[in-house]
Structure formats: C-alpha cells, structure tokens
Amino acid sequence: MRVIGIDPGTAITGWGIVEGEGNELSLVACGVVTTPAGMPLPQRLQSIYRELTTIIDQYQPNSSAIEELFFSKNAKTALAVGHGRGVAMLALANADLPIVEYKPLEVKQALTGYGGADKQQIQQMVKLLLALDDIPRPDDAADAVAVAICHLHSARLRLLE
C-alpha cells in the first residue's frame, strides 16, 4: 500500500508518501507546498491544489490520510487551515483516492503509543520506523509522514479484525 499523508495548512501544507508491505515501511518522498504570505487566499488555495495534484500524479498513491483540524483559540487561523484542508481533500478526492481522517491524538498514539507525545517524540519515531538517517524536514513534512504511517498502522489493524 502506498499512502499520501497530508498535514494541511494555507501557508505550508506538508505531504509525505510512505509505502508499506507487511511490517516494512519505507519513505518514498516528502516535502511541503508553500504559499507566500501576501498572496490572496484564492490563489494560495489554487497553488496548493495544483501542487498536490502534481505530487499525486507523480507518486501514484493508492490511499490517503489527512490530519483533522485541531481547533485552537485563534478562530481565524483555524479557518485558514480549514480552507487548505478542504483544497487538499478535493485534490485527493479528484484523484479517486480513499481519504481517511485522523485526529492529532490518533497520530500520536499510533506512532508512540502515547496521545500526549510531543512533536520531537513523533519526529524521532518517524525516523526510527522508517530507518532514516535524519528526521524529514521541515516539520510539516515530518508531520505528514507521521499521518501516512498512522494510516498504514491502522489499515494493518483493520485487516486483523
């Protein structure tokens, strides 16, 4: 199974492609889609959509996972992230990919076994589980890779049921 994981945002959208075969996981590619701060929102969303569509076409995942929106106290930020998340989901849906959503707590539990894990612990587990020399950078890419790993672990558990 080849999964694209998405860590949504408007300024930075992280993406990661992870392949899983049995218990073996491997990183195919990861990165970020960035949009300039001064760019109007409609053009930012268009840019995110186009770049994700290109990435999906290039790497041909057969499943997708996206992090659910975490509501903070800043409603304006949450709304902007929601726009980016919606555009990312549209790119995944238009590619006919099954989309599974995960709460940040679920991602943390899947990777570390602890829902209160911090960002550094998650990143270290990404490095360990994929046998990488370094943690994927920037952080948004590592977060997206974590979402993809969470989905692969969850899919494996569903097969056992």
Side-chain angles (χ1 to χ4, degrees):
M1 179 184 281
R2 182 175 279 199
V3 176
I4 182 169
I6 304 286
D7 178 35
T10 305
I12 303 173
T13 294
W15 61 272
I17 312 278
V18 178
E19 205 161 72
E21 190 171 327
N23 289 331
E24 297 295 317
L25 297 176
S26 60
L27 179 65
V28 176
C30 66
V32 293
V33 176
T34 58
T35 60
M39 183 184 271
L41 182 62
Q43 284 72 36
R44 289 175 108 174
L45 298 176
Q46 187 177 49
S47 178
I48 294 166
Y49 177 82
R50 284 183 179 154
E51 287 196 48
L52 287 178
T53 298
T54 300
I55 292 161
I56 292 165
D57 288 345
Q58 180 179 355
Y59 293 105
Q60 297 292 303
N62 51 24
S63 190
S64 68
I66 189 165
E67 193 168 71
E68 283 189 10
L69 189 56
F70 175 75
F71 283 99
S72 61
K73 292 180 181 177
N74 188 340
K76 188 175 179 181
T77 300
L79 188 58
V81 172
H83 287 307
R85 187 172 180 276
V87 166
M89 290 182 80
L90 179 63
L92 298 169
N94 281 348
D96 294 321
L97 291 172
I99 303 168
V100 180
E101 302 171 66
Y102 293 97
K103 292 173 177 49
L105 176 76
E106 292 173 306
V107 175
K108 292 175 181 183
Q109 285 179 325
L111 270 75
T112 68
Y114 173 57
D118 64 27
K119 195 176 243 349
Q120 184 63 29
Q121 290 170 309
I122 298 295
Q123 292 173 351
Q124 287 297 330
M125 285 304 295
V126 165
K127 178 183 168 189
L128 180 70
L129 291 169
L130 297 174
L132 302 174
D133 293 332
D134 298 303
I135 294 168
R137 296 282 177 222
D139 289 353
D140 304 272
D143 293 345
V145 170
V147 173
I149 293 170
C150 173
H151 182 61
L152 285 163
H153 285 325
S154 295
R156 201 174 301 129
L157 288 174
R158 280 192 294 277
L159 289 174
L160 296 174
E161 292 176 345

